[in-house]
Amino acid sequence: MELTGAIARMPISNGEPVRENRLIKAKGSGYMAAILPSGMRAFSTEISAETGAGGFILPNDHVDVILSRRDREAERATGVESHISETILTDVRVLAIDQTVEEKNGQRVVVGKTATLELNPRQAETLVQAKQTGILSLALRSLLDASQTSELPPPEDTNKKSGIATVRYGISTTSK
């Protein structure tokens, strides 16, 4: 019986025998729920080499989630197709990447198609809505950023209208 990485399903008293039916094996069902911190959710989203930092994202890395979408408001104003990108979540821990080995140009490469992220319930709702409005990309954060606070940088364009930005059904509006 292989117990490396196993987690107890329930407390085990001192001197009590460790039985296999009381453990969750590292590669067994229920493992993700057992390692997930209280109040957090495991949320999976599709990725590709282009939207997942070229395949360099691994479990326990931290990422920012960026939404790229059409800007319908700008299109109505200018008559030209317009796209915008915005960081919707910052410093999110990656719980898992489903990695498979594929062959490309005669070489074996590791490719992930799904990233499982650790989110609080509000972040999960934000991500569900964002998936309906555009393309999600993951930006890998430096290990050196781990000790810094994860706040979004101030907007670069200071000529924008001031007010409260509201996003409803994927449409952003600013009120004074």
Side-chain angles (χ1 to χ4, degrees):
M1 168 170 74
E2 176 64 35
L3 298 179
T4 304
I7 298 173
R9 289 182 190 269
M10 58 197 76
I12 299 173
S13 301
N14 192 14
E16 180 181 355
V18 177
R19 294 190 177 100
E20 190 171 0
N21 66 346
R22 297 192 67 168
L23 299 174
I24 298 171
K25 294 183 181 174
K27 293 185 181 180
S29 63
Y31 186 77
M32 184 63 70
I35 66 166
L36 200 60
S38 176
M40 300 304 278
R41 309 293 185 261
F43 187 92
S44 295
T45 188
E46 291 180 16
I47 59 167
S48 64
E50 294 81 17
T51 63
F56 289 103
I57 297 173
L58 297 171
N60 288 316
D61 281 342
H62 285 245
V63 297
D64 292 341
V65 181
I66 301 170
L67 170 65
S68 298
R69 62 178 176 83
R70 288 182 69 176
D71 186 352
R72 306 278 186 199
E73 206 172 297
E75 289 177 1
R76 281 193 291 275
T78 64
V80 178
E81 186 175 313
S82 178
H83 295 269
I84 60 172
S85 294
E86 59 186 320
T87 301
I88 58 170
L89 300 173
T90 60
D91 201 18
V92 173
R93 183 168 78 113
V94 177
L95 295 171
I97 297 283
D98 77 319
Q99 294 179 332
T100 56
V101 177
E102 294 181 3
E103 193 157 317
K104 287 189 179 180
N105 301 329
Q107 293 187 8
R108 294 169 52 102
V109 295
V110 177
V111 179
K113 294 185 179 160
T114 305
T116 302
L117 308 175
E118 179 184 86
L119 304 174
N120 66 39
R122 184 73 181 134
Q123 289 172 318
E125 291 170 3
T126 298
L127 207 53
V128 168
Q129 184 174 8
K131 284 176 75 169
Q132 302 303 314
T133 61
I135 298 170
L136 297 176
S137 297
L138 304 180
L140 180 61
R141 295 177 66 96
S142 168
L143 287 175
L144 299 175
D145 290 343
S147 62
Q148 300 173 358
T149 59
S150 59
E151 293 183 22
L152 289 176
E156 293 178 18
D157 185 359
T158 55
N159 295 326
K160 290 186 178 180
K161 295 183 232 172
S162 63
I164 299 172
T166 306
V167 178
R168 284 196 181 115
Y169 304 108
I171 299 171
S172 179
T173 57
T174 303
S175 58
K176 292 181 181 182

